[in-house]
Amino acid sequence: MVNKVLVHLLCFIFVLSFEASANTKGSVRLKDLARLASVKDSALVGYGIVTGLAGTGDSTRNSATLQSVHNMLLRFGLNVPTDQVRSRNAAAVMVTATLPAYSQSGDKLDVNVTSIGDARSLVGGTLLLTPMAMSDRDIYAMAQGPLSVGGFSYDLNGNVVQKNHPTAAHIPDGATVDRSVNTAIVNGDGKVVYKLHRPDFETASRIVDSLSRVIGAGNAKALDAARIEIRVPGNKPTELVSFLTQIERIEVVPDSHLMVVVNERTGTVVSGAEVVISPVTVAHGNLNVAISTEYQVSQPFGVGNVIIDSDFAGVRTEVVPKTSINVEEQQTVSVSLPQGSKVSDLVTALNKVHASSRDIITILQGIKRAGALHAELIIQ
């Protein structure tokens, strides 16, 4: 009796676990579908000087580099006229970085350094202290350090050996944040707004339904296809982190977008499992026309062992073209697809008739124009 009860109990647990897994199949956390609208990364940019180059820096034709070196030396009490700067061991560069949200003073940032002059290589260079600012020109970080260049370039007597791009470099942790980023999560109405990575009305509606079951009806609403507004409970103003953690764990089944992605360079076709094709017949055939031309030289005739002079009676050497045309038509192959066929079925059928990747892409475009492909066709 106990064994029977145990068996029934195990079966009941198995059914419950199976139903739970079926219900959560394809579900995605809210944090993977959307982000806080007020939280974003910022771009930083700066202008600096790289020194220590082995004669591969900017030439004297770059007035900006000469002026920059002159201004740098002035800071150290050296007044060297611009026309006296002759060193090719320096180069003018642009420095870029990304400032993440919630960055605090003292955080480290990776920076990218690119040459803007005619420097041949930045290998062995060091970036001097460079202020980095946002679009509002406020300085948020300072960059400095030795460059890491993933390439090289050497030339001698007109011969050049180069690998990758020696005029672009990287400095890991090369910038230090001087100014903290203040990010306001809750707006003046006591609400937070999440923005969907891929706007969709159906997905937004499902998110609101899931949130209403957890935090109560009326506390979440969809402003449009991309934004979800959530009211922060009044009794939890100091527990914002816990509240956001709770709602970001909510799982939602997003509405899928039917699309077929085709890479024309590699011939790769990627489609969703639900992409279907209406009944369609594809007739595929090739007509190859090859035209070749050979040029033959016609020499003037001679008498015995003596060749008639080219000035004699207008006789001269002529180049005579000989053209041949070859037409080859392959037998047309037809492929028929029944109702409910998938893109994978079409590609498999075309591969069986030895259709090339370019032919498959062309056929997919034709099926899309005919209205038989019920998905968005993206060609990369």
Side-chain angles (χ1 to χ4, degrees), residues 30-314:
L30 175 61
K31 67 184 301 181
D32 298 322
L33 292 174
R35 65 171 179 85
L36 284 169
S38 59
V39 177
K40 64 177 183 178
D41 297 340
S42 302
L44 298 180
V45 65
Y47 170 84
I49 293 292
V50 170
T51 59
L53 306 177
T56 59
D58 294 338
S59 66
T60 55
R61 295 189 300 269
N62 290 271
S63 301
T65 305
L66 301 179
Q67 185 65 46
S68 300
V69 173
H70 169 75
N71 295 340
M72 177 190 65
L73 295 177
L74 280 178
R75 296 182 180 181
F76 296 96
L78 300 175
N79 188 3
V80 180
T82 304
D83 56 357
Q84 297 299 318
V85 178
R86 290 290 183 268
S87 175
R88 290 209 61 169
N89 295 340
V93 295
M94 296 301 297
V95 186
T96 59
T98 300
L99 183 67
Y102 310 114
S103 294
Q104 301 298 316
S105 178
D107 291 349
K108 298 292 185 179
L109 305 176
D110 295 341
V111 298
N112 296 315
V113 181
T114 55
S115 172
I116 61 174
D118 58 356
R120 297 191 300 270
S121 175
L122 298 179
V123 173
T126 299
L127 176 69
L128 300 184
L129 193 62
T130 302
M132 305 189 67
M134 288 188 188
S135 57
D136 56 5
R137 298 186 179 182
D138 290 338
I139 297 175
Y140 280 82
M142 301 294 292
Q144 182 173 274
L147 306 184
S148 174
V149 182
F152 58 81
S153 177
Y154 301 101
D155 62 279
L156 181 64
N157 298 329
N159 299 316
V160 179
V161 179
Q162 179 174 325
K163 179 181 179 181
N164 297 335
H165 297 279
T167 54
H170 182 71
I171 308 178
D173 294 338
T176 303
V177 177
D178 284 346
R179 184 174 178 180
S180 301
V181 179
N182 297 322
T183 304
I185 300 177
V186 182
N187 57 25
D189 297 333
K191 302 175 182 178
V192 294
V193 177
Y194 276 87
K195 187 177 184 304
L196 288 161
H197 298 311
R198 189 179 184 90
D200 182 81
F201 286 104
E202 178 66 24
T203 302
S205 177
R206 294 178 183 179
I207 292 175
V208 172
D209 294 339
S210 299
L211 289 172
S212 299
R213 289 193 294 266
V214 176
I215 63 177
N219 290 321
K221 66 177 180 179
L223 300 179
D224 48 38
R227 295 179 300 165
I228 308 295
E229 187 181 66
I230 305 172
R231 181 185 301 278
V232 179
N235 58 346
K236 295 184 179 180
T238 61
E239 300 179 3
L240 179 62
V241 175
S242 299
F243 175 72
L244 295 181
T245 301
Q246 178 188 10
I247 65 175
E248 287 187 350
R249 290 175 179 173
I250 296 175
E251 295 188 350
V252 181
V253 179
D255 191 37
S256 60
H257 294 261
L258 301 182
M259 62 178 59
V260 179
V261 181
V262 178
N263 192 314
E264 192 171 6
R265 295 184 297 274
T266 61
T268 304
V269 179
V270 180
S271 67
E274 300 179 358
V275 177
V276 297
I277 299 178
S278 297
V280 66
T281 299
V282 178
H284 173 68
N286 287 331
L287 177 65
N288 297 326
V289 180
I291 302 176
S292 61
T293 302
E294 297 181 358
Y295 294 93
Q296 300 178 350
V297 179
S298 176
Q299 296 287 354
F301 295 99
V303 180
N305 295 327
V306 180
I307 298 178
I308 300 177
D309 186 73
S310 60
D311 295 332
F312 179 76

Side-chain angles (χ1 to χ4, degrees), residues 286-341:
N286 287 331
L287 177 65
N288 297 326
V289 180
I291 302 176
S292 61
T293 302
E294 297 181 358
Y295 294 93
Q296 300 178 350
V297 179
S298 176
Q299 296 287 354
F301 295 99
V303 180
N305 295 327
V306 180
I307 298 178
I308 300 177
D309 186 73
S310 60
D311 295 332
F312 179 76
V315 178
R316 64 184 183 275
T317 301
E318 287 287 346
V319 178
V320 181
K322 183 180 180 180
T323 304
S324 60
I325 302 177
N326 183 26
V327 179
E328 179 182 356
E329 184 175 6
Q330 298 180 359
Q331 183 178 2
T332 302
V333 179
S334 297
V335 176
S336 298
L337 296 177
Q339 179 73 28
S341 297

